């Protein structure tokens, strides 16, 4: 198993913004449509996957983000592979759906503070007016020409998922742009 090195992002606090790297966390991409798929995911994660576009569901351990009608990103803090192994054995092996560990593909950056959505608006074509008032909403958009997934976790707090290969560039852009907000 790979032992990934995460980018070396120092925690950054500005006037009304706090930027931190939220790693390591486990990220699993799950896909499926069958009734058995939803039943098995619900039993293993104790969560009902969101079926409404741009929404999420969560419990004390797991966050499930809607990505498309048959695709979700589930992320959580867990060092061992028990959850992944259970999902894989109960869903992928039985051809009810697809389970892929994407922990090494995506980096999670937590941004919180009063100016969170001002920062995002400065580099994204997405209109955050309704998004910022809706806790647990999700969007896939561009930020500084980079594909990102944004999960609105709390008022003025988001988890931003970016592909590892673009993470350092986006981190530098975020730090630089935050100084001018």
């Amino acid at each position: 198993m790979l032992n990934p090195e995460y980018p070396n992002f120092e925690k950054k606090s500005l006037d009304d913004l706090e930027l931190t790297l939220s790693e390591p966390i486990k990220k699993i991409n799950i896909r499926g449509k069958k009734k058995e798929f939803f039943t098995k995911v619900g039993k293993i994660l104790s969560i009902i996957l969101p079926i409404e576009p741009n929404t999420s569901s969560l419990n004390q351990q797991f966050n499930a983000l809607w990505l498309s009608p048959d695709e979700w990103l589930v992320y959580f803090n867990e060092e061992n592979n028990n959850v992944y192994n259970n999902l894989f054995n109960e869903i992928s092996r039985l051809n009810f759906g697809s389970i892929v560990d994407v922990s090494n593909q995506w980096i999670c950056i937590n941004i919180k503070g009063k100016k969170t959505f001002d920062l995002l608006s400065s580099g994204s074509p997405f209109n955050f007016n309704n998004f910022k008032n809706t806790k647990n909403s999700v969007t896939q958009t561009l930020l500084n020409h980079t594909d990102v997934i944004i999960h609105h976790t709390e008022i003025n707090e988001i988890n931003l998922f970016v592909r590892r290969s673009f993470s350092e560039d986006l981190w530098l852009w975020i730090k630089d742009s935050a100084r001018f907000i």
Side-chain angles (χ1 to χ4, degrees):
M1 191 74 179
L2 286 174
N3 188 7
E5 289 187 29
Y6 294 99
N8 189 16
F9 299 156
E10 74 281 359
K11 183 176 179 177
K12 186 79 171 170
S13 293
L14 300 165
D15 290 337
D16 288 321
L17 281 174
E18 185 176 303
L19 314 170
T20 54
L21 179 68
S22 298
E23 293 293 345
I25 60 174
K26 194 75 156 172
K27 297 171 263 322
I28 300 174
N29 180 279
I30 60 176
R31 296 187 74 133
K33 293 181 183 179
K34 298 178 181 176
K35 178 182 172 186
E36 297 88 355
F37 166 81
F38 288 101
T39 303
K40 300 245 183 213
V41 169
K43 283 183 180 179
I44 294 169
L45 300 179
S46 299
I47 198 169
I48 297 173
L49 293 174
I51 56 173
E52 293 293 319
N54 301 321
T55 59
S56 68
S57 57
L58 61 123
N59 60 21
Q60 291 180 338
Q61 188 177 6
F62 303 104
N63 291 283
L65 312 181
W66 183 95
L67 300 179
S68 73
D70 68 345
E71 182 179 15
W72 296 265
L73 177 68
V74 176
Y75 71 96
F76 53 98
N77 293 320
E78 184 177 307
E79 292 296 322
N80 64 42
N81 280 332
N82 289 340
V83 172
Y84 171 77
N85 290 338
N86 290 342
L87 285 168
F88 184 82
N89 290 332
E90 294 292 322
I91 295 170
S92 283
R93 288 226 169 130
L94 301 176
N95 283 335
F96 293 138
S98 168
I99 305 296
V100 179
D101 184 346
V102 293
S103 299
N104 296 328
Q105 181 181 356
W106 295 94
I107 296 295
C108 181
I109 299 171
N110 180 268
I111 304 173
K112 59 182 160 185
K114 293 179 186 174
K115 295 185 178 180
T116 298
F117 294 101
D118 294 333
L119 173 68
L120 296 175
S121 296
S122 71
S124 177
F126 186 74
N127 183 347
F128 288 98
N129 289 337
N130 291 333
F131 185 84
K132 66 182 175 184
N133 297 322
T134 310
K135 186 177 161 189
N136 294 322
S137 53
V138 176
T139 190
Q140 299 175 72
T141 187
L142 295 173
L143 185 59
N144 190 38
H145 308 287
T146 303
D147 291 323
V148 295
I149 300 170
I150 301 172
H151 180 212
H152 186 197
T153 57
E154 296 290 336
I155 299 301
N156 293 324
E157 182 175 355
I158 58 123
N159 281 331
L160 184 141
F161 295 90
V162 59
R163 294 191 190 278
R164 178 184 294 275
S165 57
F166 294 100
S167 63
E168 291 185 39
D169 180 58
L170 189 63
W171 178 261
L172 292 173
W173 178 86
I174 290 171
K175 281 188 355 183
D176 190 46
S177 297
R179 295 181 309 148
F180 301 106
I181 301 289

